[in-house]
Amino acid sequence: MASLPKEPPEDVVKQSFWMPRNYAHTVHRTDQSYQACNDIVACFTERAKVEKQYAQQLNQWSSKWKSIVDSRPLYGSLMRAWQCFFTSTERLSALHSSISQSLAAEEGDRVKTWQKETFPKKLFCGFKESHDNDTSFSRAQKPWSKKLMKLEKVRVAYHKSCQREQTAIDKEKQANDNSEMSPEKKQKITEAREKATEEKEKARDRYEKMLEDVTSYTPRYMEEMEAIFEQSQEEERKRISFLKQAFLSIHRHLDITNNESVKAVYSELHHTLMSIDEQDDLKWWKNNRGPGMPTNWPKIQEWVPPVKKLKRKKRDQKGKESQPVMIGGVKVRALYDYVGEEGDELSFRGGEVFLKVEEEDDQGWCRGVLSSGKEGFYPANYVEVVE
C-alpha cells in the first residue's frame, strides 16, 4: 500500500513565498544582482592583473635568458631552436598582455555600462525595480494577510474552546466516578461540560467560515502574486542572459587553446625544433671553428715598396703647381693593392688598369683616373705603363 505524502516541515512552510513578507527574497534579488555585477568586475579585473603580471614575467624570463644564451657555446640549428623558445615566449607575452587589456577595458566596461543602464535608482528608495516589486507584492498580499490574521485569531479561539471542553469532560468523568458527590453537583458539572461543548462548536463554525473565506480568496491572491513574480523573473532572465554572454566573451579571451596565434607560435616552435640537424651543425663548426676554416698558408710574400706620404697642405700646394698634363692619358697597370688613406687618393687592387693623366711629382705621386671616373693621387712606384 502506497504511503501518504508527508506534510512539509513547519519551518519550510513558514519560509514559503506565500507567507507574509516572504516575497522579500525576490525583492532583494535585484540588490544582490547589482552586487554580483560589482563582484564580477572586481573578479576579472584581478584576473586581468594576473595576466599582465604573467606577461611581464614571460618577458623578463625571455630577456634574461636571451642574453645568457648568446654567450653560450651553442651554434647552428641547436642555437636557433633554443632562441626560438624566447621569440615564442615574447609572442605569448604579447597575447597575455592583450588578454589583460581586454578583460580590464572591454569586458569590465561592458558590464559596468550594462549595470548602470539596468539598475536605475529611485530617490531615497534604492533601486526602482526593488521599490516597485516591494510595493506591488505588498499591495497584492495585504488583503490576504488580513484574512490570514483573522483566521489565526479564530483558530486560537477554537483551540482554546477545545481545551476548555476537554477540561470539562475530565471533570465530568471524575464526578461520575465519585459516588460521594451529590447529584446536584454532578448536574452542574454536566451542564458546564455541555456549555463548553456548545461554545466549541460555535468557535469551530466561526473558524470554518473564516477558513472558507481565506480559501476562496487564495486563487486571486496567488494569481496577483504570481503575475508580479513573473515580471521579476523576466527581469532576472534578462540579467542571466546578459551575464551568460559576458561569461562566454570572457571565456573566448581566456581560452587560448583555440587561439590561432597560439597555435602558430607552438607550430613554428615545433618546426624549428624538428629542424635541428646534427650534420649541418657539425659542418658549420668544421667550417667556422675547425679544419674547414680558410687559412693563409705560408708562401712567398713579395716586397711592396713603401709609400712616402705627404702632408695635406704640401700635397695641395703640389697640386697647384703646374705639372705636365697628358692629353688622353696613359694606361697603367697596378702592381700592388693600394688603399687610399685620404679623400684625394685612389684605391685599387693589383692588376687593375686605369689612366695616368699627370706626370709624377718630386714626391713620387701621380694623378690618375679610375675606370669608374674617380680622379685622384696614387704612388707612382705602385704601377707600370701598359705597353
Side-chain angles (χ1 to χ4, degrees):
M1 181 178 177
S3 59
L4 295 174
K6 296 182 179 179
E7 290 291 331
E10 186 178 355
D11 57 341
V12 174
V13 174
K14 290 181 178 179
Q15 295 173 10
S16 170
F17 166 80
W18 303 105
M19 294 295 103
R21 295 297 304 173
N22 282 359
Y23 58 77
H25 295 293
T26 301
V27 172
H28 294 156
R29 181 169 60 172
T30 304
D31 303 66
Q32 293 165 353
S33 296
Y34 181 87
Q35 182 56 44
C37 290
N38 291 337
D39 293 338
I40 289 170
V41 171
C43 172
F44 289 103
T45 298
E46 188 172 326
R47 175 60 187 266
K49 291 179 181 178
V50 171
E51 293 291 335
K52 183 177 181 180
Q53 291 169 354
Y54 181 52
Q56 292 172 343
Q57 289 174 342
L58 287 175
N59 262 333
Q60 291 169 359
W61 174 83
S62 178
S63 299
K64 171 187 174 182
W65 280 98
K66 275 175 69 175
S67 59
I68 294 175
V69 168
D70 288 343
S71 64
R72 292 297 186 260
L74 285 185
Y75 55 92
S77 61
L78 199 61
M79 172 63 88
R80 288 194 297 273
W82 197 354
Q83 290 172 335
C84 190
F85 279 103
F86 307 132
T87 56
S88 62
T89 298
E90 289 168 358
R91 291 168 66 182
L92 288 176
S93 173
L95 173 64
H96 284 282
S97 180
S98 173
I99 291 174
S100 173
Q101 294 174 2
S102 297
L103 291 178
E106 183 180 335
E107 299 303 334
D109 290 349
R110 179 186 176 195
V111 173
K112 287 179 182 177
T113 301
W114 174 83
Q115 181 189 36
K116 186 176 181 180
E117 295 172 351
T118 307
F119 297 93
K121 292 189 175 181
K122 191 176 181 67
L123 191 63
F124 306 121
C125 299
F127 296 111
K128 184 178 183 300
E129 181 183 332
S130 300
H131 177 264
D132 292 347
N133 283 338
D134 186 65
T135 302
S136 298
F137 276 128
S138 177
R139 186 182 296 115
Q141 196 176 71
K142 188 175 181 179
W144 189 81
S145 295
K146 287 183 176 180
K147 293 178 182 297
L148 196 66
M149 290 174 63
K150 292 179 180 179
L151 178 64
E152 178 64 13
K153 187 175 181 180
V154 295
R155 181 195 68 82
V156 171
Y158 168 64
H159 286 183
K160 286 183 177 180
S161 65
C162 289
Q163 186 177 5
R164 286 193 294 269
E165 180 193 34
Q166 186 61 46
T167 302
I169 290 173
D170 292 339
K171 284 184 178 182
E172 183 182 28
K173 185 178 179 182
Q174 292 174 2
N176 291 334
D177 292 340
N178 189 352
S179 57
E180 298 180 356
M181 184 177 292
S182 65
E184 293 81 6
K185 195 170 185 180
K186 287 181 180 182
Q187 181 62 31
K188 289 181 179 181
I189 293 175
T190 299
E191 290 174 355
R193 192 269 306 163
E194 290 174 350
K195 184 178 180 181
T197 301
E198 184 182 354
E199 290 177 353
K200 183 203 74 169
E201 292 300 329
K202 290 179 180 179
R204 182 178 179 86
D205 184 57
R206 289 192 295 271
Y207 183 28
E208 288 177 348
K209 286 181 179 179
M210 194 66 230
L211 180 59
E212 183 180 351
D213 185 34
V214 171
T215 303
S216 63
Y217 187 79
T218 297
R220 176 183 172 183
Y221 164 63
M222 294 178 66
E223 182 180 357
E224 293 178 358
M225 291 290 283
E226 284 182 348
I228 301 166
F229 180 78
E230 287 305 320
Q231 291 177 3
S232 175
Q233 286 286 81
E234 176 59 21
E235 294 301 320
E236 185 67 9
R237 185 198 64 76
K238 293 176 183 177
R239 288 192 280 267
I240 294 171
S241 178
F242 171 81
L243 292 177
K244 176 184 178 180
Q245 295 305 316
F247 282 156
L248 287 173
S249 182
I250 291 170
H251 172 265
R252 283 192 291 272
H253 290 302
L254 294 177
D255 182 15
I256 62 175
T257 58
N258 292 319
N259 188 294
E260 294 301 324
S261 299
V262 175
K263 290 180 181 179
V265 167
Y266 285 108
S267 176
E268 292 172 19
L269 176 59
H270 182 264
H271 176 74
T272 304
L273 298 180
M274 294 303 295
S275 298
I276 296 175
D277 191 305
E278 299 92 335
Q279 295 304 319
D280 281 354
D281 285 3
L282 294 175
K283 183 178 179 181
W284 182 92
W285 186 265
K286 178 180 180 180
N287 293 335
N288 290 274
R289 298 289 186 272
M293 296 177 66
T295 302
N296 290 327
W297 297 104
K299 61 181 180 180
I300 294 296
Q301 295 184 4
E302 298 295 340
W303 177 77
V304 179
V307 178
K308 186 176 181 180
K309 301 295 290 181
L310 290 176
K311 291 184 178 180
R312 179 80 182 179
K313 289 183 179 180
K314 290 183 178 180
R315 173 143 347 123
D316 290 344
Q317 292 173 357
K318 290 291 181 183
K320 292 177 183 177
E321 296 175 1
S322 59
Q323 296 292 335
V325 178
M326 300 176 180
I327 299 174
V330 177
K331 283 187 178 182
V332 294
R333 179 185 292 108
L335 299 172
Y336 319 102
D337 294 347
Y338 180 72
V339 179
E341 296 181 2
E342 296 187 27
D344 59 355
E345 294 180 7
L346 299 178
S347 296
F348 46 79
R349 298 185 67 81
E352 185 176 345
V353 176
F354 56 91
L355 290 178
K356 179 174 74 171
V357 296
E358 199 173 280
E359 289 290 354
E360 178 182 353
D361 61 21
D362 58 358
Q363 296 294 329
W365 291 85
C366 293
R367 184 183 294 273
V369 179
L370 298 179
S371 58
S372 63
K374 183 178 180 181
E375 183 178 344
F377 293 102
Y378 65 89
N381 58 348
Y382 267 54
V383 302
E384 63 178 5
V385 177
V386 177
E387 296 297 337

